[in-house]
Amino acid sequence: MCARCREYREAMGDAGEVLYSAKAFASPGFLRVVAAEGLGVDVVSAGELGLARAGGYRGESIHFLGNNKSLEDVAAAWEARATLVVDGFHDFDLVRQVLPAGAGLRCLVRISPGVRPDTHEQIATGQLDSKFGFPIASGAAREAVERVLAEDRLRLAGIHCHIGSQILDLAPYRRAMAAMLDFAAALRRDLGLVVERLGAGGGLGIAYTRQDRPPSPGQFVAALRETLERGCRERGLRVPALVVEPGRSIAGPAGVALYTVGSIKEIPGLRRYVAVDGGMGDNIRPKLYGARYEALLASAPAAPPTQTVTIVGKYCESTDVLIADVPLPELRPGDVICLPAAGAYCLSMASNYNGVPRPAAVMVREGRARLLRRRETLQDLLAAEVVEVPGDPPALPMVAVDGSEGAQTGLQRPLGE
Ligand code: LLP
């Protein structure tokens, strides 16, 4: 993960900024390491901002995105003096309610460049039909820029886009960059505005299986820089600072999910199910995006496969399948199997479905291990619950429908009576 952060930083040089997209995996201990590597961070909620601050982030190196920010989100962004990425006209109302006049909070305007990358449709965002970004084609992008210029609570630092995730081909990035530069050229021509920063988003794909051949972070940044510099030359524009915000390509390859084998069910002539102590609660990606993983036996990762099995989880859903038809060596209950490339969008999208506590996260480096996040307990599951024990006095005075105290109606009787 440090090597990937460095590869991004070195490829970027002084041409711009690299942010880590915290949605991929946002443990403060992890963010602290990313921050030490010189990367900024992108967050999408007051909660993620809180995690980033706990990871040591401050100020404009935090970019606050989101298509439906709340008042609390904007207040948190203002309090942290983060860079606000405006994404929708609603943001202007929130900014007026939260920020004092003349605040001059640094912002970017998120543009929808009208480019569809070749990725799973659930993780494509750059196309016109998307909830994200101001479309160029409809004139909304232009209007948003003009409204920022007229709002002294905001200070326009540039424009931003993000076309999607798990993208393995760099061509859509070149198309998005061309659309953004055409837009920048129109802003200069019509408004005399010089775009100083251009956000190209994240989205670089990673290898989940041996067949995947993603470009490296270095190739990704080099392609963007080259497209940006050439595109600016062709349009007679000053080259803006480039901003990229990768998530998966930093956290993904760093993470290995470990599962312990439990029940093994054989349906002769049909299938062998190997059930593990996790599943869709800690990795929803196979079901949500048809994501494919590989698996290895942790104690003998190079052992040749002797069987084809289907790895399923422990959740009460037939759909709780982690990997169908995967070749593995002989397995016994208690064996540990690992799924590589599980560092991004697994734990950060985990749930407590079926009352299963979420697993621990451990950071390992040169043979040393450090706990980033402990395994959850029953106490964590109960932490936000309001539990009334039968026989306890009711927490609130009971009020009858007519408002008089002390009367009991079926509606107000506490649970358990
Ligand atoms: N910037 C913006 C505005 C984004 O929306 C995202 C991801 C990123 C950066 C980081 O993208 P990355 O480099 O990680 O691809 N849960 C899905 C991925 C959703 C991505 C959402 N946005 C998955 O598991 O594949």
Side-chain angles (χ1 to χ4, degrees):
M1 171 272 252
C2 293
R4 296 210 133 214
C5 289
R6 259 166 239 170
E7 188 179 342
Y8 266 112
R9 280 272 356 125
E10 275 159 27
M12 184 62 86
D14 56 9
E17 221 177 330
V18 183
L19 314 174
Y20 166 65
S21 193
K23 59 182 78 61
F25 179 62
S27 193
F30 184 84
L31 294 175
R32 215 161 258 287
V33 179
V34 176
E37 292 295 335
L39 274 64
V41 70
D42 114 43
V43 301
V44 294
S45 69
E48 244 177 36
L49 175 62
L51 294 169
R53 293 186 79 168
Y57 278 104
R58 297 284 177 273
E60 290 179 344
S61 67
I62 306 173
H63 286 215
F64 200 117
L65 291 84
N67 74 303
N68 184 26
K69 301 178 189 77
S70 63
L71 278 174
E72 292 73 23
D73 288 336
V74 174
W78 165 236
E79 210 230 300
R81 301 297 189 267
T83 300
L84 194 72
V85 181
V86 176
D87 185 351
F89 290 111
H90 184 53
D91 280 359
F92 292 105
D93 300 337
L94 301 176
V95 159
R96 262 194 305 281
Q97 288 178 61
V98 172
L99 273 59
L105 186 66
R106 184 166 98 147
C107 83
L108 302 174
V109 174
R110 178 159 179 178
I111 307 295
S112 168
V115 168
R116 196 193 181 310
D118 186 17
T119 187
H120 193 283
E121 70 171 299
Q122 306 301 349
I123 47 178
T125 51
Q127 68 280 12
L128 178 62
D129 187 0
S130 162
K131 70 173 184 170
F132 297 105
F134 295 100
I136 298 174
S138 69
R142 172 64 161 273
E143 189 186 337
V145 168
E146 291 181 5
R147 284 183 63 173
V148 170
L149 292 174
E151 175 55 82
D152 70 0
R153 290 168 176 82
L154 296 173
R155 172 170 49 92
L156 185 66
I159 54 178
H160 169 276
C161 68
H162 170 77
I163 56 174
S165 200
Q166 184 57 14
I167 299 172
L168 299 169
D169 170 14
L170 297 176
Y173 285 104
R174 296 184 198 276
R175 294 203 301 277
M177 195 65 92
M180 295 291 277
L181 289 177
D182 283 344
F183 181 62
L187 293 178
R188 204 206 39 190
R189 186 189 62 225
D190 301 345
L191 307 176
L193 183 77
V194 175
V195 170
E196 284 164 8
R197 312 185 85 72
L198 196 150
L204 176 63
I206 61 167
Y208 282 100
T209 69
R210 270 165 257 243
Q211 282 74 50
D212 299 331
R213 295 270 174 277
S216 69
Q219 289 168 331
F220 169 71
V221 174
L224 287 175
R225 284 186 62 176
E226 189 266 328
T227 312
L228 181 64
E229 281 155 26
R230 189 163 34 81
C232 287
R233 235 182 359 259
E234 285 165 4
R235 293 168 182 81
L237 297 171
R238 197 183 324 139
V239 181
L242 176 65
V243 185
V244 293
E245 53 202 32
R248 183 193 321 263
S249 51
I250 288 176
V256 175
L258 300 179
Y259 297 101
T260 303
V261 172
S263 159
I264 298 176
K265 172 179 175 176
E266 179 82 33
I267 307 176
L270 191 59
R271 190 178 294 280
R272 184 173 294 165
Y273 284 101
V274 173
V276 296
D277 58 344
M280 64 189 290
D282 57 78
N283 188 353
I284 193 72
R285 302 195 65 261
K287 285 301 130 186
L288 219 43
Y289 318 113
R292 181 83 193 164
Y293 287 83
E294 290 197 3
L296 304 165
L297 177 58
S299 58
T306 55
Q307 56 173 346
T308 297
V309 303
T310 288
I311 301 178
V312 297
K314 64 182 276 106
Y315 295 83
C316 286
E317 299 255 358
S318 297
T319 194
D320 178 25
V321 176
L322 279 173
I323 321 177
D325 303 324
V326 60
L328 274 168
E330 283 318 297
L331 295 171
R332 269 191 294 273
D335 280 344
V336 174
I337 55 175
C338 60
L339 269 62
Y345 303 113
C346 291
L347 266 191
S348 65
M349 297 176 76
S351 76
N352 289 125
Y353 184 44
N354 286 174
V356 178
R358 288 175 295 174
V362 179
M363 191 174 245
V364 182
R365 185 177 197 173
E366 288 159 8
R368 291 196 317 276
R370 180 157 71 84
L371 192 61
L372 282 181
R373 185 187 158 83
R374 64 164 170 77
R375 191 190 301 266
E376 286 179 352
T377 63
L378 174 61
Q379 286 314 311
D380 295 315
L381 293 185
L382 288 171
E385 300 299 331
V386 181
V387 185
E388 297 214 17
V389 181
D392 275 3
L396 296 170
M398 278 186 286
V399 178
V401 229
D402 65 3
S404 62
E405 276 199 24
Q408 291 213 346
T409 71
L411 280 175
Q412 274 82 29
R413 204 162 292 143
L415 283 175
E417 274 200 0

